[in-house]
Amino acid sequence: MAHLQGQLVCDMVAYEGADHGRVNHFLKVYAYARTIALQEGLDCQQQEILELAAILHDVGIKVSEEKYGSGAGKYQEIEGPPIAREMLNKRGAPLVWIERVSYLVGHHHTYHDVQGMDYQILLEADFLVNIEEGGMPLNDKMRSLFKTQAGKALLCDLFGG
C-alpha cells in the first residue's frame, strides 16, 4: 500500500498549502520514522501504520490554531484524529490501520504509557525533528525518552554524545 503513503503526502501538502515549514516537518518525521522502523525490524503492517501516522501526526495543528488560538500538543491530540480518519477513509485505508493511526495522532505528544514500537518510533522521529528545529531542548530527560537502538544512534550522530 505504498501508493497510500504517496497519496497522503500529496493530501497533506495540499492541506498545509504554502506552509513549507509544516510540510518539511512532517516529511522529516516521516523519513526518520521510516528509517528507525526499518532498522528496528517492524513487521509490514506496523511499518505501514507508522509511516501513515508520521505523515499525519501534526494534521490537527491548523484546526487547533483556528479553534483555540494555539497549536499546542494537547489541542493537536484532540483535533488531529478526526481529520486523520477522514483522510484515511477517503483513501480507502483498512479500518484497523485507521484506528491505530488515529490513536497515534491523538497521542503523539503523550510521553508516558507508550504502548507499541510504532508509538515509540513516532515519538523518537518527532523528537529528532523538533530538536533540530529548535522546538525542544536536548537534555538528559529528552535523551531518556529514546528507547530504540536506531533512534539513540540517530540522536547521537545528529546531536552528539
Side-chain angles (χ1 to χ4, degrees):
M1 296 210 71
H3 68 283
L4 179 56
Q5 295 159 359
Q7 291 170 330
L8 279 179
V9 167
C10 291
D11 290 347
M12 279 296 291
V13 169
Y15 181 78
E16 295 296 356
D19 192 331
H20 301 155
R22 285 197 191 144
V23 170
N24 288 327
H25 176 85
F26 86 74
L27 288 172
K28 289 186 280 187
V29 171
Y30 170 56
Y32 282 132
R34 177 172 169 74
T35 300
I36 294 169
L38 289 170
Q39 295 285 321
E40 295 293 323
L42 264 62
D43 68 39
C44 291
Q45 181 168 295
Q46 281 186 311
Q47 182 83 30
E48 293 281 347
I49 289 168
L50 170 63
E51 291 183 25
L52 296 172
I55 294 165
L56 295 171
H57 78 283
D58 278 346
V59 73
I61 291 177
K62 187 186 288 191
V63 172
S64 296
E65 289 176 340
E66 292 167 3
K67 214 171 182 181
Y68 308 102
S70 170
K74 65 182 178 181
Y75 301 127
Q76 290 179 45
E77 289 185 339
I78 294 167
E79 300 300 331
I83 301 166
R85 274 190 203 93
E86 182 180 328
M87 290 177 135
L88 290 165
N89 270 321
K90 177 180 146 191
R91 293 299 182 181
L95 182 59
V96 67
W97 293 13
I98 293 170
E99 290 308 313
R100 184 62 178 170
V101 169
S102 298
Y103 176 84
L104 294 171
V105 169
H107 289 81
H108 79 280
H109 283 282
T110 301
Y111 309 141
H112 61 280
D113 297 325
V114 175
Q115 296 178 14
M117 282 295 283
D118 51 358
Y119 187 168
Q120 180 64 40
I121 292 169
L122 179 60
L123 293 180
E124 292 179 12
D126 199 24
F127 291 155
L128 289 170
V129 177
N130 285 331
I131 293 165
E132 180 258 322
E133 291 176 347
M136 255 181 194
L138 179 56
N139 53 36
D140 289 342
K141 180 176 167 119
M142 174 56 63
R143 287 181 193 282
S144 73
L145 295 172
F146 281 75
K147 306 295 184 202
T148 69
Q149 291 305 309
K152 289 176 184 179
L154 284 168
L155 181 68
C156 184
D157 290 344
L158 289 166
F159 304 106

